[in-house]
C-alpha cells in the first residue's frame, strides 16, 4: 500500500464534541472523529476482502507494516454503505482499525452539524471494535 497522505497531531488538538475534530461524511451522514482517536488519513488503497464477515467489515489492509481491520463507517453506525474514498486510521483501540468514509469535510464541528461524535470512549465501547468481533457482531440495523 502507498504512503498515507495526511498525519494528524492529536496532542495539539482539542478533544471535545463541537470543537476541533476530523469531520467526515460516511453513508450520507456527518461524523465528528475526535483527534485523539485519529492517527492518520489517506486515500483508500487495495483492501483484501474477508469472506463471511459482517456487512460492515470491508476487509484487511497492510499499513506501515501493520495489518488493519477496515470497517465501513456508514454501515458500522447504521447508515448507507460508504463509497470507500478515504481511509481514517484509528489509534488507541484494542483492535488495529481503519474506517472507510466518503469524504473529509474539515477539522471542526463548531456549528454542530455532525450526526454522530466518535471519541475514544464511544469507539472503545462499540461491540464491533472488540477483538474477534468482525465475524460475529451485526450492525445496528442488521438482523442478528
Amino acid at each position: 500500500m502507498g504512503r498515507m497522505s495526511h498525519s494528524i497531531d492529536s496532542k495539539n488538538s482539542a478533544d471535545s464534541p463541537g470543537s476541533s475534530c476530523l469531520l467526515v461524511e460516511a453513508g450520507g451522514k456527518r461524523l465528528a472523529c475526535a483527534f485523539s482517536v485519529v492517527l492518520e488519513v489517506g486515500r483508500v488503497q487495495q483492501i483484501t476482502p474477508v469472506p463471511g464477515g459482517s456487512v460492515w467489515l470491508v476487509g484487511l489492509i497492510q499499513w506501515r507494516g501493520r495489518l488493519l481491520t477496515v470497517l465501513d463507517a456508514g454501515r458500522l453506525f447504521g447508515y448507507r454503505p460508504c463509497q470507500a474514498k478515504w481511509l481514517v486510521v484509528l489509534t488507541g483501540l484494542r483492535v488495529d482499525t481503519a474506517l472507510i468514509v466518503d469524504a473529509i469535510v474539515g477539522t471542526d464541528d463548531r456549528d454542530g452539524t455532525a450526526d454522530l461524535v466518535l471519541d475514544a470512549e464511544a469507539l472503545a465501547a462499540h461491540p464491533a471494535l472488540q477483538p474477534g468481533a468482525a465475524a460475529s457482531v451485526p450492525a445496528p440495523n442488521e438482523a442478528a
Side-chain angles (χ1 to χ4, degrees):
M1 176 177 160
R3 187 175 173 288
M4 293 293 175
S5 57
H6 303 283
S7 289
I8 305 227
D9 184 358
S10 60
K11 293 180 181 128
N12 295 325
S13 302
D15 190 21
S16 59
S19 65
S20 294
C21 59
L22 181 66
L23 192 61
V24 301
E25 288 184 5
K29 301 292 182 175
R30 285 196 174 194
L31 310 178
C33 301
F35 281 126
S36 64
V37 296
V38 177
L39 179 63
E40 205 161 12
V41 174
R43 289 283 187 178
V44 171
Q45 301 289 325
Q46 183 177 348
I47 299 172
T48 302
V50 176
S54 295
V55 67
W56 41 259
L57 175 63
V58 178
L60 302 171
I61 195 167
Q62 280 288 333
W63 176 77
R64 299 191 190 270
R66 293 172 39 208
L67 188 62
L68 301 178
T69 300
V70 181
L71 308 177
D72 181 320
R75 286 188 166 178
L76 185 65
F77 298 108
Y79 309 130
R80 292 190 325 248
C82 288
Q83 298 302 311
K85 294 180 181 177
W86 291 94
L87 190 72
V88 178
V89 180
L90 303 177
T91 187
L93 301 174
R94 294 179 60 201
V95 177
D96 289 338
T97 306
L99 300 175
I100 58 165
V101 299
D102 297 319
I104 305 299
V105 177
T107 56
D108 74 51
D109 187 39
R110 295 186 197 283
D111 58 359
T113 61
D115 296 294
L116 183 63
V117 175
L118 303 176
D119 59 14
E121 185 177 332
L123 287 167
H126 196 292
L129 296 171
Q130 306 307 311
S136 60
V137 178
N141 61 354
E142 180 184 353

